[in-house]
């Protein structure tokens, strides 16, 4: 375990373990049916009497139906008339005697049957019409493509994105860092690192999932999209670089992967060369990692608010530990002894901490408490992911005590879990989560990917979906399943595809 300071920062004496990695990077584990609307204000067509004599109409019926002496009953005034049809609509009167009495006794049952038949038909028709109206309402709000930005190159890969009230900031391996106006897709600015990148690379390789309250985010750059050599604080509204810091130096010369997250004004940097927090306004150091011993091999993972470190220290009685640190302060939240190395495949939430952990004995997704004890989520055969299949997407999030997360199981699915019990509440197939605009309410949005795509809202407790608007069917890689989907403040749907070829950005309004 090295005790040298990490690149770009001189470690104070009380924290000799600011940098760590006595290993090479390669050692890291890896349509409703049609119908006619029923209107209760229109008269129902009554059965016509058979040819021949008609029964006399009782006085009560005449008053009810508007008949006068010497005339047949008039037109039926409303659908309620079917509850007591006039005698003119009945069959020819039978002769007196037993047969006549038998027929008269049967007439109430016949009328009841007729009432039930009409009511059933009316209810069925109304239900069909309600479904038609719902479908028509959604169809009438179908979004259409407002603008499109093609991918910079066929081999372009999305690194990350930020959404503000007016701008989309997109980072990719071939397009660099660029901002677009949400109104029309016009490019507002592009970042050319210039002197900041002298000898260090200009390709975005990591990006904070969101901006801080001051509109500042962090972006790491390198020679390619998988190795990072320096970190910058970027003002999203202008593209201005506010500060930079190196992620390599002569003691840590190998460029490695990195991730970066924001907690208020603190940016956490997690890489094989560097673990700690810096002030997002200035780039100055806030906290740094201190290893347990001098001969430790450590693996780290981060998310908004939390950093996990699994280490193996030869000079400590407890060889293996798994430790959670506060991403803003670096304070240890909990530490627990392990029998072997733990590999964290995904962190789905920072508070409470929900992580997919692989050990030599089992794979499990756990909700960790303040002591490091974990409750398993009943994931079944689903594999939970941090986003829609790419590291650039961070749509998994907590809604109260319900975790709503993307997953894969014979296709793209959404799962809802009760984090207090670990129970799976629901599963929705052929759907991807959409990220709401900053400052939006806690509404859960998703896009269906089977048949004609639709924007829907999802009840986090039940998984029940409510259609919001139809969307155009995707072509080629445009399928709302790869990259990031945003719902903008004005209700637009913004699709960022993670791949090159026909990838890029599309806005639907």
């Amino acid at each position: 375990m090295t005790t040298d300071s990490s690149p770009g920062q001189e470690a104070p004496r009380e924290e000799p373990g600011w940098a760590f990695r006595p290993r090479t990077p390669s050692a890291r584990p890896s349509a409703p049916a049609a119908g006619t609307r029923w209107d209760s204000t229109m008269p129902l067509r009554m059965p016509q009497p058979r040819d021949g004599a008609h029964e006399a109409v009782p006085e009560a019926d005449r008053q009810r139906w508007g008949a006068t002496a010497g005339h047949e009953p008039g037109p039926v005034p409303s659908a309620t008339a079917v509850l007591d049809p006039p005698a003119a609509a009945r069959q020819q009167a039978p002769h007196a005697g037993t047969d006549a009495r038998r027929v008269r006794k049967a007439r109430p049952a016949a009328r009841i049957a007729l009432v039930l038949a009409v009511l059933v038909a009316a209810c069925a028709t109304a239900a069909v019409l309600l479904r038609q109206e719902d479908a028509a309402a959604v169809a009438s709000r179908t979004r259409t493509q407002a603008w499109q930005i093609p991918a910079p190159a066929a081999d372009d890969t999305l690194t990350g994105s930020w959404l503000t009230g007016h701008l989309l900031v997109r980072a990719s391996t071939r397009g660099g860092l660029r901002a677009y106006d949400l109104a029309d897709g016009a490019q507002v600015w592009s970042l050319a690192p210039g002197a900041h990148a002298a000898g260090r690379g200009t390709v975005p390789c990591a990006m904070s999932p969101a901006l801080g309250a001051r509109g500042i985010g962090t972006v790491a750059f390198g020679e390619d999209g998988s190795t990072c050599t320096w970190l910058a604080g970027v003002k999203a509204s202008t593209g201005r670089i506010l500060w930079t810091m190196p992620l390599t130096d002569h003691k840590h010369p190998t460029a490695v992967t990195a991730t970066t997250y924001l907690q208020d004004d603190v940016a956490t940097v997690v890489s094989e060369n560097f673990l700690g927090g810096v002030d997002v306004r200035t780039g100055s150091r806030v906290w740094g990692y201190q290893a347990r011993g001098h001969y430790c091999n450590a693996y780290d993972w981060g998310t908004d608010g939390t950093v996990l470190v699994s280490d193996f220290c030869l000079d400590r009685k407890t060889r293996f530990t798994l430790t959670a640190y506060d991403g803003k302060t670096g304070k240890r939240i909990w530490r627990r002894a392990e029998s072997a190395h733990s590999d964290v495949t995904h962190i789905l939430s920072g508070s409470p901490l929900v992580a997919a952990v692989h050990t030599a004995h089992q794979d499990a997704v756990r909700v960790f408490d303040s002591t490091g004890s974990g409750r398993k989520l009943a994931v079944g055969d689903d594999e939970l992911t941090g986003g829609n299949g790419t590291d650039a997407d961070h749509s998994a999030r907590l809604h109260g005590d319900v975790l709503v997360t993307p997953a894969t199981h014979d296709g793209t699915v959404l799962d809802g879990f009760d984090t207090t019990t670990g129970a799976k509440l629901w599963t929705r197939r052929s759907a991807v989560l959409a990220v709401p605009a900053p400052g939006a309410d806690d509404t859960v949005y998703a896009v269906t990917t089977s048949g004609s795509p639709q924007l829907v809202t999802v009840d986090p407790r039940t998984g029940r979906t409510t259609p919001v608007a139809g969307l155009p069917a995707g072509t080629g890689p445009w399928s709302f399943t790869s990259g990031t989907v945003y719902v903008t403040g004005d209700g637009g749907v913004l699709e960022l595809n993670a791949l090159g070829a026909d990838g890029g950005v599309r806005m639907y309004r």
Side-chain angles (χ1 to χ4, degrees), residues 396-422:
R397 63 190 59 214
L398 210 64
H399 299 269
D401 57 0
V402 177
L403 175 71
V404 181
T405 177
T408 57
H409 181 83
D410 296 330
T412 303
V413 301
L414 301 182
D415 284 338
F417 296 94
D418 188 325
T419 57
T420 62
T421 65

Side-chain angles (χ1 to χ4, degrees), residues 85-404:
R90 301 170 187 162
Q91 294 181 353
Q92 184 175 352
H95 297 288
T98 304
D99 292 340
R101 288 193 297 271
R102 187 178 297 117
V103 170
R104 282 196 296 271
K105 289 180 180 179
R107 281 174 181 163
R111 284 199 293 268
I112 292 173
L114 178 58
V115 168
L116 292 176
V118 172
L119 288 177
V120 169
C123 291
T125 302
V128 169
L129 288 169
L130 286 173
R131 290 195 297 269
Q132 288 178 327
E133 288 179 355
D134 288 343
V138 172
S140 68
R141 295 193 297 271
T142 296
R143 304 292 192 260
T144 59
Q145 182 175 306
W147 49 264
Q148 174 183 350
I149 302 167
D155 58 347
D156 184 62
T157 302
L158 185 68
T159 301
S161 57
W162 300 325
L163 190 70
T164 74
H166 305 287
L167 297 177
L168 165 70
V169 182
R170 180 182 187 272
S172 68
T173 56
R174 296 297 298 272
L177 197 61
R178 303 183 187 186
Y180 303 93
D181 193 316
L182 290 178
D184 55 12
Q187 183 172 301
V188 177
W189 56 259
S190 62
L191 179 62
H196 294 287
R200 296 186 292 180
T202 60
V203 178
C205 57
M207 190 179 196
S208 59
L211 295 166
R214 302 173 188 272
I216 303 172
T218 47
V219 182
F221 297 87
E223 295 293 338
D224 54 49
S226 59
T227 54
C228 303
T229 56
W230 61 289
L231 184 77
V234 180
K235 186 73 173 178
S237 59
T238 63
R240 178 188 172 195
I241 294 179
L242 303 179
W243 52 265
T244 68
M245 57 172 286
L247 297 177
T248 58
D249 64 7
H250 67 284
K251 295 180 179 179
H252 308 86
T254 303
V256 295
T257 58
T259 55
T260 176
Y261 307 91
L262 294 183
Q263 294 79 215
D264 297 327
D265 285 333
V266 176
T268 306
V269 186
V270 182
S271 80
E272 295 182 3
N273 289 336
F274 189 105
L275 176 60
V278 298
D279 191 314
V280 74
R281 299 164 296 182
T282 64
S284 60
R285 172 184 171 180
V286 174
W287 67 272
Y289 172 79
Q290 183 173 359
R292 291 191 299 129
H294 293 285
Y295 302 98
C296 296
N297 198 355
Y299 304 84
D300 51 0
W301 303 269
T303 190
D304 299 333
T306 307
V307 175
L308 278 176
V309 177
S310 174
D311 66 3
F312 168 63
C313 297
L314 287 172
D315 57 346
R316 288 292 180 266
K317 182 178 181 180
T318 302
R319 296 291 182 93
F320 295 93
T321 66
L322 182 65
T323 309
Y325 296 92
D326 186 304
K328 184 177 181 179
T329 65
K331 180 181 178 180
R332 189 177 77 191
I333 302 173
W334 51 260
R335 173 177 287 162
R336 72 181 198 190
E338 301 278 277
S339 60
H341 167 66
S342 295
D343 185 36
V344 179
T345 55
H346 296 290
I347 301 182
L348 303 168
S349 170
S351 180
L353 178 62
V354 183
V357 181
H358 168 76
T359 68
H361 304 290
Q362 65 176 339
D363 291 328
V365 180
R366 296 181 179 274
V367 182
F368 293 91
D369 61 20
S370 59
T371 66
S373 298
R375 176 185 295 108
K376 289 184 181 180
L377 294 184
V379 299
D381 294 331
D382 292 359
E383 179 183 353
L384 306 191
T385 61
N388 300 339
T390 73
D391 292 335
D393 181 56
H394 301 271
S395 56
R397 63 190 59 214
L398 210 64
H399 299 269
D401 57 0
V402 177
L403 175 71
V404 181

Side-chain angles (χ1 to χ4, degrees), residues 432-445:
V432 296
L433 279 176
V435 179
D441 57 22
D442 202 37
T443 301
V444 184
Y445 290 99

